[in-house]
Amino acid sequence: MSIPVDVRQRRDELVTLIEQARNEYYQHDKPTLSDAEYDVFFKELEQLEAQYPDLVTGDSPTQSVGGEVAETFGEFEHPSRMWSLDNVFDFDELDAWFERMGQHAFLCELKIDGLAINAVYRNGVLDSVATRGSGSVGENVTSNVEYMTCIPRELSGAAGVPVPELLEVRGEVYFSLEEFDNINLEVTAVGRTAFANPRNAAAGTLRQRIDKRIEAVADAQQRAAGKDADSKAALSLAKHIDELERAKSALSRLGLIVHGIGTHDGLEISAQSHAYEILKAWGLPTSPVVKVVASAQEVKDYITYFGEHRQELAHDIDGVVIKVDDLDEQESLGYTARAPRWAIAYKYPPTVVRTRLVDIAVQVGRTGRVTPRAEVEPVLVAGSTVTYATLHNGFEVARKGLRIGDMVFLRKAGDVIPEILGPVVELRDGSEHEFVMPTLCPECGSELAPEKEDDKDLRCPNVRSCPAQLRGRLEHLGSRAVLDIEGLGEKAARALLDDGVISDEGDLFLLTAEQLSQSDFFVKGADRELAENAKLLLTQIELAKTKPLWRLIAALSIRHVGPPTAQALTREFTDMDELAKATGEELARVEGVGAVIGAGVAAWFAEPWHRDIIEKWRTAGVQLREEIRDLGPQTLAGLTIVVTGSLKNFGREDAAEAITSRGGKAASSVSAKTSYVVAGEKAGSKATKAAELNIPILNEAQFVTLLEKGPAGLE
């Protein structure tokens, strides 16, 4: 088949792009392309080569695994080859793979965003660790294993399954999301570029020459001890010691999940899942969420479930790996030049993408905190288009080394909040410029200042009248977690204030239809008839007047006082006036409050205009005393309960209120202090962690029993 010139040129462009990206990714751990961009280029090359088979050559990226050995480490030839995986990006592509496979039992596991390694054990003792490299030859990183706690040095023989003389174990070295953030903080603190993703952080950490750092410390010690030593020698020694200790510390925080066996002398294994059982019995870390299923639909259910719950995992994933479980069936299906035919990786929409930082503006929150906000070129990440991202404060912008105009890596933290990880420094062309934090509030012109000398946050001191703070307090007051006033969102709050309908949150409960008719936002037609949104707002405000006292306390926007703290306060103070008279010391003695919050609450009520708000509410008929009602016995006193998944008869907030009203604590994360975990439909990793910690897991019916009768009812 004749190949058009433009097609051949595009193929050459793609090969160059991919090889350059591989070099930056594998050799230097400093990618300038996001994973999503790389996948698009790679798929385009595959499609071109499928259409024009004569384009396929032995050195094409589609015919190789991808990671060549860096010169930094010695080469290690794997006893048996390590393979890459082909990818699919939607269920249509996955169905095409199922059609090629036919009927099998499939093993599903999470695709961890880490670095593939090969650990070789001889007679059960760890002999070497190497990166995947080209698949045949990797980098020998064994010298770093001394500082890694995640890799067992010796395997304990499982009952009836002795460890073979030679065993290759394949796995993924990774950082948890918490450690990834910590590593990036440490990296940027010393003026280096942040890692773009956990995979690069893990690779950069594992591929350090610790032996060279040790030699550098020894040399610096000799120079510092010499007769001509000066302050520079001492500083150099301190620097090398610090770098060595940081490198050791980072290695010790790596995690490992094993996901395969290579060469194994004399070991009888029937299936991939069987291999995992044996590896776990030998003391190797395996995934707790591996699942063997019998149908394509069950595979899709697994993919969908973890796509919805990936933010609950302790580590980052970029997809799901599906393997034919039976090893004989794997063997019969065979391999392509770069990947097994019997396995596929389903890739989720990326949580880390590359885009351009267009501008940095600042926004003022309801407590006066001034936060830089990044405007980026719109980009699709984790299923939604992102235009803005948080930057926390001016120090954060400087710490990350960001300049307006930079290409940046952006992720969704927890798959919800867009966050910039750092700039792609290598792509700067000189047109970028520094961001300067403003000195005046962009909303009211007040001079910005930190609240305390050592604060990194700047705040607008015009708490009472700053338009942004007023809007923020109104939105907060109407939010579902507080007074749940339907119709009081950002647009309504802006209209109420901008059109002079109210002056502050104190006026809200005095609001009348006549006042609302002054605003175009709340009327319709030429005769300015009250619109439906206005009628809804007035109805909802009347309902809010009788909400529980804790919701009213949470609505006051007192610093650090959210719904849980407000609920704790109402267990001791059932009247707003009693709360207002309490001293900081009295408030601090309330369980769940403490000295800092107690002092803050007392200071809030000491402010005259704050008391004016309470008086306006009282005048409007807001119920400022807790109604005397039978809350039932405190069946959950002293218990901490986590609810995960969907319950049929409880919303998330309803469940939390049911717990706290009975004296319990409704927590959001599972720890050793958790008493029970209530697992509803589609319960996520919290239920898995509870099982690992041997914490009792309850269904909805058992939860109801616990609420009514306490732990004794479950016996």
Side-chain angles (χ1 to χ4, degrees):
M1 179 187 295
S2 175
I3 303 174
V5 173
D6 62 334
V7 170
R8 191 178 293 278
Q9 288 176 340
R10 181 55 180 164
R11 184 264 183 189
D12 292 343
E13 289 173 2
L14 290 169
V15 169
T16 300
L17 278 169
I18 292 168
E19 291 296 352
Q20 180 180 343
R22 282 181 168 183
N23 181 60
E24 292 162 344
Y25 188 94
Y26 290 108
Q27 309 310 317
H28 304 293
D29 303 312
K30 291 182 179 179
T32 55
L33 289 181
S34 68
D35 288 351
E37 290 171 311
Y38 178 88
D39 288 339
V40 168
F41 290 140
F42 195 90
K43 189 171 184 178
E44 184 183 350
L45 180 60
E46 285 183 318
Q47 291 171 340
L48 280 181
E49 292 183 347
Q51 187 177 357
Y52 300 98
D54 289 345
L55 288 176
V56 180
T57 61
D59 60 354
S60 170
T62 64
Q63 306 300 302
S64 62
V65 170
E68 298 301 325
V69 177
E71 296 178 1
T72 309
F73 290 94
E75 293 186 355
F76 180 88
E77 186 172 347
H78 302 303
S80 59
R81 183 174 178 179
M82 296 181 70
W83 300 89
S84 186
L85 288 171
D86 288 330
N87 300 320
V88 294
F89 298 90
D90 56 46
F91 282 165
D92 288 341
E93 293 181 350
L94 183 60
D95 284 336
W97 182 77
F98 282 133
E99 287 180 15
R100 296 195 298 272
M101 291 302 99
Q103 186 62 41
H104 300 279
F106 295 102
L107 179 142
C108 302
E109 59 189 331
L110 302 180
K111 189 174 184 295
I112 298 174
D113 189 15
L115 177 69
I117 64 161
N118 189 35
V120 176
Y121 288 86
R122 297 186 185 276
N123 297 311
V125 178
L126 184 64
D127 183 69
S128 63
V129 175
T131 64
R132 183 177 64 185
S134 67
S136 299
V137 178
E139 298 158 319
N140 190 336
V141 294
T142 309
S143 59
N144 288 347
V145 171
E146 178 184 349
Y147 309 101
M148 299 171 66
T149 60
C150 61
I151 302 180
R153 306 299 189 270
E154 190 169 351
L155 304 182
S156 56
V161 187
V163 181
E165 290 185 11
L166 175 62
L167 173 70
E168 278 186 293
V169 178
R170 275 72 191 270
E172 205 79 10
V173 168
Y174 67 93
F175 277 120
S176 69
L177 289 171
E178 180 180 1
E179 291 296 357
F180 171 59
D181 289 338
N182 290 337
I183 290 293
N184 262 351
L185 285 172
E186 294 166 12
V187 164
T188 53
V190 293
R192 290 163 52 200
T193 301
F195 291 109
N197 51 52
R199 186 266 168 209
N200 290 110
T205 297
L206 183 60
R207 300 169 76 197
Q208 298 178 91
R209 288 295 302 269
I210 292 291
D211 55 337
K212 295 295 186 184
R213 293 193 185 279
I214 292 172
E215 289 176 10
V217 168
D219 290 343
Q221 285 174 331
Q222 282 189 338
R223 290 194 299 273
K227 63 179 181 179
D228 297 325
D230 55 15
S231 60
K232 288 184 179 180
L235 287 172
S236 175
L237 174 59
K239 174 177 174 290
H240 285 300
I241 290 175
D242 180 62
E243 289 176 348
L244 175 61
E245 293 307 312
R246 282 193 291 105
K248 289 179 179 179
S249 172
L251 283 167
S252 72
R253 289 178 278 169
L254 285 167
L256 171 69
I257 293 290
V258 298
H259 52 61
I261 293 179
T263 297
H264 50 277
D265 292 347
L267 182 63
E268 295 295 329
I269 308 173
S270 61
Q272 191 83 25
S273 55
H274 181 208
Y276 289 179
E277 291 170 4
I278 293 173
L279 291 170
K280 182 178 179 180
W282 283 339
L284 287 155
T286 57
S287 171
V289 293
V290 169
K291 186 175 184 180
V292 177
V293 300
S295 68
Q297 184 56 52
E298 289 177 282
V299 171
K300 293 177 182 177
D301 290 344
Y302 184 97
I303 291 169
T304 300
Y305 176 82
F306 282 103
E308 294 172 350
H309 292 83
R310 60 195 291 193
Q311 70 273 12
E312 298 175 14
L313 298 169
H315 53 70
D316 201 13
I317 61 172
D318 59 358
V320 167
V321 177
I322 305 105
K323 300 174 181 176
V324 171
D325 190 40
D326 187 279
L327 296 189
D328 288 338
E329 293 172 9
Q330 287 185 7
E331 193 63 31
S332 65
L333 289 165
Y335 301 79
T336 66
R338 66 182 295 273
R341 291 191 175 90
W342 44 264
I344 200 77
Y346 182 97
K347 299 288 286 290
Y348 289 129
T351 57
V352 177
V353 296
R354 192 183 68 161
T355 187
R356 190 168 298 282
L357 176 57
V358 176
D359 198 6
I360 299 176
V362 297
Q363 55 187 5
V364 184
R366 65 185 172 92
T367 62
R369 181 175 175 234
V370 180
T371 307
R373 185 175 72 160
E375 180 185 351
V376 300
E377 289 182 353
V379 60
L380 186 67
V381 52
S384 63
T385 299
V386 169
T387 307
Y388 298 99
T390 182
L391 286 169
H392 303 296
N393 53 52
F395 287 88
E396 181 81 352
V397 178
R399 183 185 67 75
K400 291 185 174 181
L402 295 172
R403 299 177 187 173
I404 296 169
D406 269 335
M407 288 298 294
V408 296
F409 283 113
L410 178 146
R411 74 168 177 182
K412 274 193 179 178
D415 270 359
V416 178
I417 305 169
E419 175 189 10
I420 290 178
L421 290 171
V424 187
V425 176
E426 294 78 6
L427 296 182
R428 284 178 174 162
D429 60 12
S431 63
E432 302 82 10
H433 59 280
E434 302 283 350
F435 164 73
V436 179
M437 193 72 179
T439 58
L440 301 178
C441 175
E443 293 272 353
C444 68
S446 299
E447 187 172 350
L448 304 177
E451 190 172 55
K452 293 180 292 188
E453 188 175 340
D454 57 347
D455 277 357
K456 290 185 176 179
D457 292 329
L458 292 179
R459 293 184 182 274
C460 170
N462 184 16
V463 177
R464 185 174 188 178
S465 305
C466 176
Q469 295 184 61
L470 276 168
R471 284 196 306 272
R473 293 201 298 271
L474 276 177
E475 287 180 60
H476 169 75
L477 181 152
S479 65
R480 185 176 178 185
V482 183
L483 289 180
D484 194 16
I485 300 176
E486 191 174 349
L488 185 56
E490 190 273 335
K491 291 181 180 178
R494 184 180 290 275
L496 288 171
L497 294 165
D498 290 354
D499 295 339
V501 179
I502 62 176
S503 59
D504 63 20
E505 60 267 48
D507 297 330
L508 182 70
F509 289 104
L510 295 165
L511 197 59
T512 65
E514 183 180 353
Q515 289 173 313
L516 281 179
S517 66
Q518 299 170 18
S519 170
D520 291 343
F521 183 78
F522 293 104
V523 296
K524 62 181 179 181
D527 58 355
R528 299 185 67 79
E529 180 186 350
L530 211 61
E532 293 304 314
N533 64 338
K535 296 175 184 177
L536 173 65
L537 180 60
L538 289 171
T539 301
Q540 289 287 310
I541 287 173
E542 283 302 311
L543 289 173
K545 291 179 181 180
T546 58
K547 291 286 175 75
L549 181 62
W550 72 261
R551 288 185 177 271
L552 292 166
I553 295 170
L556 295 173
S557 285
I558 303 172
R559 186 86 61 83
H560 307 308
V561 178
T565 305
Q567 288 169 345
L569 288 168
T570 55
R571 286 197 285 270
E572 297 291 332
F573 301 92
T574 59
D575 186 300
M576 187 73 81
D577 291 336
E578 292 177 3
L579 181 64
K581 293 174 185 176
T583 66
E585 292 76 12
E586 290 171 331
L587 292 164
R589 288 196 288 269
V590 176
E591 184 177 354
V593 176
V596 173
I597 297 177
V601 173
W604 191 93
F605 281 104
E607 181 66 44
W609 73 268
H610 288 160
R611 293 198 300 273
D612 290 343
I613 290 172
I614 301 298
E615 290 308 312
K616 287 182 180 180
W617 287 7
R618 192 193 310 278
T619 301
V622 177
Q623 185 174 286
L624 299 176
R625 287 180 60 88
E626 187 67 48
E627 282 291 308
I628 298 174
R629 54 195 175 102
D630 183 11
L631 297 176
Q634 299 293 283
T635 52
L636 307 185
L639 300 180
T640 299
I641 299 169
V642 174
V643 178
T644 181
S646 301
L647 302 179
K648 291 182 180 178
N649 300 306
F650 296 87
R652 187 60 58 89
E653 292 170 9
D654 297 330
E657 191 162 349
I659 293 166
T660 56
S661 68
R662 289 163 176 80
K665 179 182 178 182
S668 59
S669 59
V670 178
S671 71
K673 296 180 179 179
T674 304
S675 307
Y676 296 95
V677 169
V678 180
E681 186 180 350
K682 294 186 177 180
S685 59
K686 294 177 185 178
T688 303
K689 186 172 182 179
E692 294 172 352
L693 295 174
N694 293 318
I695 294 169
I697 300 175
L698 309 181
N699 59 31
E700 186 167 354
Q702 291 170 317
F703 177 48
V704 172
T705 300
L706 181 68
L707 292 173
E708 294 174 350
K709 301 179 180 179
L714 300 174
E715 296 177 356

